[in-house]
Amino acid sequence: MMLIVSLGFLACIILKDPLCIFCFSFCFLLYLNERFHSKRILIVFTILSLFSIVLVKPCKEAEKGIYTISEIKQSYYVAKNQRTRVLVQSDLDLNFNDQIQVDSLEPIHTDDNFTLFSFTKYNASKNVFYKTKSIRILKKSNSLKSKLYAYIASQKNSKVLLSLYYGIHEDTIDEIYTMLGYGYISAYFIVFNLLKRKYEDKKIRISLLILSILFGSFFVFTLSLTRFILYQISYLFFKSKSDQIGFTILCFSILYPTQVLSISFVLPILLQLVSYFCTEHKWIVQKMVLISVLFIYFKKVDIVSFLLFNLLRKLYGCVFLLGMFIPDFLTLKIPYLTIHYAPQYVFILAFIVVYIQCLKHFKWIYMILFLIPFLEVFCNPFFQVYTLNIGQGDCSVIVEPFYKSVVMIDCGQNLYRDNVESIIVPFLENKNIKTIDTIILT
């Protein structure tokens, strides 16, 4: 019951638009009434659906004033006050909990291109709409959290440690494992299995839950860590696996309503549902989900990393526990053998249908899902013309029906970046274009 209500609430959060939420809620209430015949459930979901409208309301406009550094990224910071959060671009050496004076603000705007990563949209999903370059440090933090970060950043192997403990991604470690929090989660279960031989299960879980909360307080509460903590709390209060998953979905959706579609939340929940509902060929379904989600979110799958996924997850757990002793020259990235594919709506809809059917009963015919990438080329009988913003002009890409030929007009470079590497090649990969037949330079 809790799982179904939580999934309905999650759907309301995803829909965002009040009218869409109202229409969906009406239909979902009819379904709940038909299935449970309980007025209490109907009242609870009605309250949650109304609450979802409040949660998805845009945040207030940022204002100049005093902010506190709350996040540290590779090339920028995020600061917050009681009302909003802003992005800080500065060469100053800032640390967690530093107080700064923001003297000017401007909307975050980047030159985005169709299908490619949008820095503006990424920050909007975190309710960050404004940025600043004009700041003054009012007070340097002397907290334990800031001291710990300064110490780790000063270590010789700081790149590995910052990626593992703070999610500041570098080329020395595979991003997918830090985004999903598998370093901490795997370390958690390594410690749990060691203690399980001597102590009671419940005492261990309570102790490690407290330790997890302390870790988030002294380091950073990433999305994956927060989801994992919520799941551990649910394990202590609910016996049913479905109620545990439902509680996790409900609480995460309330805490991070704008991030419910992040891979850090979506992939673990999908795999948990497979673990709970699937009774046969569970391993195959999990791999099918993993490979599909990686294609949808990253537009590529590394075969080596995929095949060694479970082994690497445990390896990162050990590295997480022994991070301070990892040599500074060690690189935790494995060789690439990458398959590129950018799923279109046909693949995404087919995946949703196949996933739901697999939760009920797996059939080998569902593997036909992975034939779609090879068939999509024969399903587009239209000319397609794309125009890309490359900074100092436009690049046009013309695709003939059924991908018979591809023509590119102008693909010049930029003084400040490699357009081919950062825009052209990613775009071609995202549109599943393997060959350019003609290039015209004007």
Side-chain angles (χ1 to χ4, degrees):
M1 179 189 73
M2 179 178 285
L3 176 59
I4 294 175
V5 172
S6 297
L7 289 173
F9 177 66
L10 176 62
C12 291
I13 295 290
I14 294 172
L15 289 172
K16 293 184 179 180
D17 182 74
L19 181 59
C20 293
I21 292 175
F22 175 78
C23 295
F24 170 80
S25 299
F26 178 78
C27 297
F28 198 71
L29 284 170
L30 294 178
Y31 165 76
L32 292 176
N33 184 57
E34 182 68 23
R35 176 160 184 174
F36 297 107
H37 303 287
S38 171
K39 291 184 179 180
R40 185 179 65 178
I41 295 177
L42 298 180
I43 293 173
V44 169
F45 181 74
T46 301
I47 295 173
L48 288 174
S49 61
L50 293 174
F51 185 45
S52 68
I53 297 176
V54 177
L55 289 175
V56 298
K57 284 180 62 177
C59 66
K60 299 178 181 178
E61 288 193 9
E63 297 178 350
K64 294 183 289 184
I66 299 175
Y67 286 78
T68 303
I69 300 297
S70 59
E71 295 181 34
I72 299 177
K73 301 298 183 180
Q74 190 172 355
S75 57
Y76 64 93
Y77 305 89
V78 176
K80 67 177 182 179
N81 60 13
Q82 294 181 347
R83 294 163 55 88
T84 55
R85 302 197 302 165
V86 298
L87 186 146
V88 178
Q89 295 176 319
S90 174
D91 294 330
L92 297 175
D93 184 20
L94 300 176
N95 203 330
F96 287 103
N97 300 325
D98 284 354
Q99 284 191 355
I100 60 172
Q101 172 69 38
V102 174
D103 296 321
S104 65
L105 288 166
E106 59 182 291
I108 297 175
H109 175 74
T110 52
D111 294 329
D112 300 328
N113 281 293
F114 185 64
T115 77
L116 299 184
F117 172 76
S118 169
F119 188 66
T120 303
K121 292 179 180 178
Y122 168 75
N123 282 285
S125 71
K126 301 169 64 178
N127 271 336
V128 180
F129 299 96
Y130 292 87
K131 65 178 180 179
T132 180
K133 296 180 180 179
S134 177
I135 67 167
R136 291 178 287 116
I137 299 177
L138 299 179
K139 183 181 179 182
K140 292 292 290 183
S141 173
N142 198 34
S143 65
L144 181 59
K145 183 174 184 176
S146 58
K147 290 180 179 179
L148 193 57
Y149 174 79
Y151 172 76
I152 290 177
S154 66
Q155 299 301 300
K156 291 183 178 180
N157 60 339
S158 61
K159 289 184 178 180
V160 173
L161 297 178
L162 292 175
S163 184
L164 283 171
Y165 300 150
Y166 293 94
I168 302 175
H169 304 299
E170 289 278 0
D171 292 335
T172 52
I173 192 167
D174 279 307
E175 182 179 3
I176 179 64
Y177 292 96
T178 54
M179 289 185 69
L180 296 177
Y182 280 145
Y184 181 84
I185 294 173
S186 298
Y188 175 98
F189 284 111
I190 290 173
V191 175
F192 177 81
N193 290 326
L194 290 174
L195 296 176
K196 195 175 180 180
R197 301 174 184 178
K198 190 173 182 181
Y199 301 100
E200 294 180 15
D201 183 284
K202 189 173 182 179
K203 290 183 179 179
I204 299 173
R205 290 186 181 276
I206 293 174
S207 300
L208 292 181
L209 173 61
I210 295 172
L211 189 63
S212 299
I213 295 172
L214 289 174
F215 175 81
S217 301
F218 291 137
F219 289 86
V220 60
F221 281 104
T222 60
L223 295 178
S224 54
L225 177 61
T226 303
R227 179 201 59 80
F228 184 69
I229 289 175
L230 291 173
Y231 184 73
Q232 293 307 312
I233 293 173
S234 72
Y235 194 92
L236 296 174
F237 288 96
F238 301 97
K239 293 183 179 180
S240 168
K241 181 81 170 179
S242 62
D243 288 343
Q244 293 168 7
I245 299 174
F247 176 84
T248 304
I249 293 173
L250 181 64
C251 293
F252 189 92
S253 300
I254 293 173
L255 292 173
Y256 300 102
T258 60
Q259 308 242 27
V260 293
L261 290 180
S262 67
I263 191 173
S264 304
F265 176 66
V266 171
L267 182 56
I269 291 297
L270 292 179
L271 293 178
Q272 282 183 331
L273 290 173
V274 169
S275 177
Y276 174 68
F277 285 104
C278 284
T279 56
E280 55 185 11
H281 304 294
K282 188 179 298 184
W283 183 85
I284 295 175
V285 177
Q286 288 177 334
K287 294 300 180 184
M288 184 172 68
V289 170
L290 178 61
I291 204 170
S292 300
V293 171
L294 290 177
F295 273 134
I296 291 170
Y297 278 87
F298 293 103
K299 311 295 188 293
K300 62 183 179 181
V301 170
D302 178 53
I303 298 300
V304 178
S305 180
F306 171 74
L307 294 175
L308 301 177
F309 189 80
N310 290 331
L311 177 63
L312 290 173
R313 185 170 59 179
K314 294 176 181 177
L315 172 64
Y316 282 113
C318 296
V319 171
F320 188 92
L321 292 172
L322 304 173
M324 293 295 181
F325 306 101
I326 301 296
D328 62 311
F329 58 83
L330 182 64
T331 298
L332 298 175
K333 295 196 78 169
I334 58 177
Y336 282 120
L337 181 58
T338 305
I339 297 177
H340 292 274
Y341 169 62
Q344 308 301 314
Y345 290 114
V346 174
F347 181 90
I348 296 173
L349 290 174
F351 166 70
I352 294 173
V353 172
V354 167
Y355 177 77
I356 294 173
Q357 293 301 317
C358 285
L359 293 182
K360 300 176 182 177
H361 178 66
F362 175 79
K363 294 181 181 178
W364 286 103
I365 194 173
Y366 295 150
M367 300 301 289
I368 199 173
L369 172 71
F370 294 111
L371 291 179
I372 292 178
F374 302 99
L375 299 176
E376 274 185 342
V377 67
F378 303 107
C379 301
N380 195 340
F382 303 104
F383 265 101
Q384 301 168 75
V385 179
Y386 303 100
T387 300
L388 305 179
N389 184 345
I390 55 175
Q392 291 177 289
D394 295 326
C395 168
S396 298
V397 180
I398 303 172
V399 183
E400 215 181 337
F402 306 112
Y403 287 79
K404 289 176 63 177
S405 69
V406 177
V407 177
M408 179 177 288
I409 304 174
D410 291 339
C411 55
Q413 289 286 41
N414 188 291
L415 293 175
Y416 307 104
R417 66 169 177 242
D418 186 341
N419 280 335
V420 174
E421 181 181 355
S422 61
I423 297 178
I424 305 297
V425 171
F427 171 80
L428 295 176
E429 290 174 345
N430 286 354
K431 301 308 295 181
N432 303 313
I433 296 173
K434 310 298 181 183
T435 304
I436 299 175
D437 298 277
T438 305
I439 294 181
I440 300 175
L441 302 178
T442 63

